[in-house]
Amino acid sequence: MTTTKPEIVTLSFHPPFEFTQVNGFLKPRAIPGVEVVDGGIYSRSIAIDEAPGYIAVFAPKSKQSLCLEIHFPDQERIPVVADITRQIFDLDAPVEKIDSHLKKDGFLSSLVTQRPGIRVPGSFNAFELCIRAIVGQQISVKGATTLIGRIAAGYGNELNIPNPFGLKYLFPGPEKLANADFRGIGLTHARITTIHHLSAAVLDGRVSFHAAFPPSQLRKALLGIKGIGEWTAQYILMRTIKHPDAMPCSDLGLLKAVSPDKIPSTEKRLRDMSTPWQPWRAYATMHLWSSLADI
């Protein structure tokens, strides 16, 4: 496939915004061959209506906006690509309002001061993010990244578009994974079964990421799939439909972050503490996860 001249789109945002915060979250979770975060650039393969392409996002020196390079054959879908990219970087979050609310809490106040305008990274492909969340259950981020990379390489189509980032694959859709055997990938039988069931649910519409599908309904649909619990459901709500109040309260990192001695607190304590953080608990979650890096 021959390359075409990229479309350059300027992405504005509500300040403050720290590009390195989102990239820092995405980098260890980047799917090998599908996403690359390196040298201040986020790049990934994309597919819309089976048409392949790729994007690259970087912050210009002015830092008043982001620059998005879109390599995609269908010019009519450029606005769609730009809108989804805005969601990846959470550019439309009302951060001043969020910070003002969370700063009122004695525990969060200093964290918000340290990282004003923190964002909840989204996803370009909701199904891909769901598979990433399932694969990542109860294992390290590094281990999950290895496994999800094997799925992309084993079942995704080749990108076949020359690019300077090493992007090789398009992440497979539910039609590919619904009956995949995952032989040699390293997944447990339980994880494989969950992926099969989720893929089937997406294909028949029981699980949908459409705006008309409210968060409570999506949560219920996800929890109805064997192998998806509250942690996974809340994580998916945070990063796919950008539900601002989603919070995986059983997360070990969060339980450590709210404990004065970093010995995991109880889930009940975190739930009680988080009541004043509503309706922005997803952003509180990002502050707590980020605080663990400071220990």
Side-chain angles (χ1 to χ4, degrees):
M1 182 179 292
T2 59
T3 58
T4 58
K5 186 177 179 181
E7 187 78 19
I8 308 298
V9 179
T10 298
L11 302 177
S12 60
F13 50 74
H14 297 294
F17 174 79
E18 185 56 61
F19 184 59
T20 56
Q21 177 255 316
V22 182
N23 262 8
F25 183 89
L26 294 174
K27 184 171 184 175
R29 296 165 177 82
I31 301 173
V34 174
E35 299 174 285
V36 175
V37 183
D38 187 45
I41 299 175
Y42 171 82
S43 61
R44 67 159 293 133
S45 63
I46 63 172
I48 298 178
D49 297 334
E50 300 185 2
Y54 70 91
I55 62 172
V57 185
F58 61 93
K61 291 182 179 180
S62 68
K63 295 187 178 181
Q64 299 303 309
S65 60
L66 294 184
C67 183
L68 167 64
E69 275 191 17
I70 305 175
H71 298 255
F72 195 70
D74 185 353
Q75 293 296 301
E76 292 185 359
R77 306 311 295 271
I78 294 300
V80 174
V81 176
D83 284 346
I84 299 175
T85 305
R86 294 189 67 83
Q87 293 177 31
I88 295 176
F89 290 90
D90 200 18
L91 298 183
D92 297 312
V95 287
E96 289 187 356
K97 182 177 181 179
I98 295 168
D99 285 359
S100 177
H101 180 80
L102 296 180
K103 269 187 176 182
K104 296 175 184 176
D105 182 81
F107 186 85
L108 289 181
S109 180
S110 63
L111 300 182
V112 178
T113 299
Q114 280 182 272
R115 292 182 174 87
I118 204 166
R119 309 293 166 135
V120 178
S123 61
F124 194 92
N125 181 322
F127 175 74
E128 171 190 293
L129 191 279
C130 289
I131 301 302
R132 180 67 174 76
I134 291 168
V135 169
Q137 292 171 343
Q138 298 179 329
I139 65 173
S140 68
V141 170
K142 185 177 180 180
T145 298
T146 298
L147 291 176
I148 198 75
R150 291 173 183 168
I151 292 174
Y155 298 94
N157 291 332
E158 291 188 6
L159 179 59
N160 288 330
I161 300 176
N163 66 87
F165 306 108
L167 302 172
K168 299 178 181 179
Y169 311 110
L170 297 163
F171 196 81
E175 69 287 344
K176 283 275 191 78
L177 300 189
N179 297 300
D181 61 21
F182 296 107
R183 189 173 303 165
I185 297 292
L187 292 174
T188 65
H189 177 72
R191 295 287 181 272
I192 291 172
T193 299
T194 302
I195 291 173
H196 285 166
H197 288 173
L198 173 71
S199 299
V202 171
L203 288 172
D204 66 23
R206 284 178 289 132
V207 169
S208 172
F209 305 97
H210 193 275
F213 210 71
S216 60
Q217 190 174 343
L218 177 56
R219 173 182 171 273
K220 183 178 179 180
L222 290 169
L223 292 176
I225 297 172
K226 185 177 181 181
I228 293 184
E230 193 66 49
W231 182 95
T232 306
Q234 292 293 326
Y235 186 79
I236 290 171
L237 290 173
M238 279 179 63
R239 297 199 56 204
T240 59
I241 64 170
K242 308 308 296 295
H243 182 38
D245 204 38
M247 188 176 202
C249 289
S250 63
D251 183 81
L252 183 60
L254 296 183
L255 297 178
K256 287 182 178 179
V258 297
S259 171
D261 54 13
K262 303 311 172 187
I263 295 173
S265 185
T266 65
E267 189 174 333
K268 181 182 183 304
R269 180 171 183 269
L270 176 56
R271 289 188 183 279
D272 290 344
M273 286 181 67
S274 70
T275 298
W277 307 343
Q278 296 175 335
W280 306 111
R281 290 186 297 178
Y283 293 86
T285 295
M286 292 305 303
H287 278 294
L288 294 174
W289 277 339
S290 295
S291 73
L292 294 174
D294 300 330
I295 298 172

